[in-house]
Amino acid sequence: MNTRKKGFLVTTLMALALFSLVLSACGTKPEASNTSNGAGSSNEAAANQLEAIKKAGVMKVGMMGTYPPYNFLNDNKELDGFDVDIAKELAKRIGVKAEFTAQEFSGLIPSLQKKKFDAVVSQVAITEDRKKAIDFTDPYITNNVNIIVNSKTNDITTLEDFKGKTIGVGLGTNDESYLRNEVLPKVGDFEIKTYDDVITSLKDLNSGRIDATINNLYALKPIIDKNGFQIKAVGEPIKSDQAAVAINQKTPELKEALNKALKEMKEDGTYKTIFKKWFGEEPKE
């Protein structure tokens, strides 16, 4: 091989080697970048739900819509009530409007997890089991729960009297979990009948189709007054629940903004005004 050919071969090999290095670099960098961007985008989307809400100009809120005075359809067929006013004020303070969707309580948390809502404001009680699936803001109300019976009933005054009876409760509610997981093992056999709304359970109680239910008196008074049900609360409160705004996990900015708004509402008297409007008394907490 002459010197000229030898030089050409060496130059060609060096060029190929350099080209291979360039290709290698170009092949790995985008892959690493895509992996990083993919994870970053996912985390950013979850963490910046507040930003997405502000961009849309609305906070999508799920609620039951059949639970006066908390949330219900008024005479104009519009969602109204304590929860509605709380949600509207929270949305206003983060710079958006509240947009409501009503559905059965048992489907609210699954719908929240599927991102159909940004939040659920529907007397969702804070529980450890729920914390495994969703997140909560600070509580915005505490409710005492009583045993409710027909006015003619005199043999049920405590939880122990549930044995052998049929007890009605809202499907998917904290009260249902309480009956199944705490009361039933302690008291013994009784039948639990579930309902998708409070009004139907009280109709059954009024007509004697169930023996008792459990609920808080704030929720029952407007329904009793409107329908003339012959029912009564007995004994001392059996428990108390704290309800909060339910949101998805890993949305810290949204949680912080809602907690800030709720705190300001309590400090400037707005919360007290809303509470008195619906319950006729000042909040105890």
Side-chain angles (χ1 to χ4, degrees), residues 239-255:
K239 69 185 182 83
S240 62
D241 296 322
Q242 287 189 309
V245 179
I247 56 177
N248 276 311
Q249 295 176 337
K250 298 180 181 179
T251 56
E253 284 86 358
L254 178 59
K255 181 175 181 177

Side-chain angles (χ1 to χ4, degrees), residues 21 71 73 80 106 125 129 146 153 158 173 191 194 204 220 236 238 249 257 273:
L21 286 172
N71 52 82
L73 285 177
D80 205 352
S106 58
D129 281 344
N146 284 78
T153 299
T158 66
T173 64
E191 182 182 351
T194 58
D204 279 5
L220 299 187
E236 295 296 318
I238 56 176
Q249 295 176 337
T273 299

Side-chain angles (χ1 to χ4, degrees), residues 116-276:
K116 293 182 179 179
F117 313 133
D118 299 306
V120 174
V121 187
S122 189
Q123 294 304 297
V124 183
I126 303 170
T127 69
E128 293 305 314
D129 281 344
R130 285 175 179 162
K131 284 182 180 179
K132 296 173 184 176
I134 58 174
D135 200 358
F136 290 96
T137 64
D138 294 334
Y140 66 90
I141 191 170
T142 299
N143 295 306
N144 289 323
V145 177
N146 284 78
I147 297 171
I148 314 296
V149 299
N150 189 289
S151 295
K152 298 177 182 178
T153 299
N154 297 311
D155 61 343
I156 300 177
T157 57
T158 66
L159 291 172
E160 285 71 22
D161 297 325
F162 282 5
K163 190 170 184 178
K165 303 292 197 299
T166 300
I167 312 302
V169 69
L171 177 65
T173 64
N174 186 47
D175 289 343
E176 182 190 3
S177 298
Y178 173 71
L179 286 180
R180 293 189 187 281
N181 300 329
E182 297 186 42
V183 181
L184 195 58
K186 178 182 177 182
V187 170
D189 289 340
F190 61 85
E191 182 182 351
I192 296 174
K193 185 175 181 179
T194 58
Y195 294 86
D196 287 322
D197 61 80
V198 179
I199 296 175
T200 306
S201 68
L202 296 184
K203 285 180 179 178
D204 279 5
L205 180 61
N206 186 67
S207 62
R209 286 189 285 269
I210 59 175
D211 298 300
T213 185
I214 62 172
N215 214 312
N216 77 77
L217 298 181
Y218 286 150
L220 299 187
K221 187 177 185 305
I223 302 176
I224 295 171
D225 292 345
K226 183 176 181 179
N227 295 276
F229 294 142
Q230 299 301 303
I231 59 181
K232 63 184 179 181
V234 294
E236 295 296 318
I238 56 176
K239 69 185 182 83
S240 62
D241 296 322
Q242 287 189 309
V245 179
I247 56 177
N248 276 311
Q249 295 176 337
K250 298 180 181 179
T251 56
E253 284 86 358
L254 178 59
K255 181 175 181 177
E256 182 181 357
L258 292 174
N259 280 338
K260 181 175 181 290
L262 182 58
K263 182 181 178 182
E264 290 173 351
M265 287 167 58
K266 291 184 176 181
E267 290 175 346
D268 65 22
T270 304
Y271 176 84
K272 183 187 293 185
T273 299
I274 295 173
F275 195 97
K276 289 179 69 175

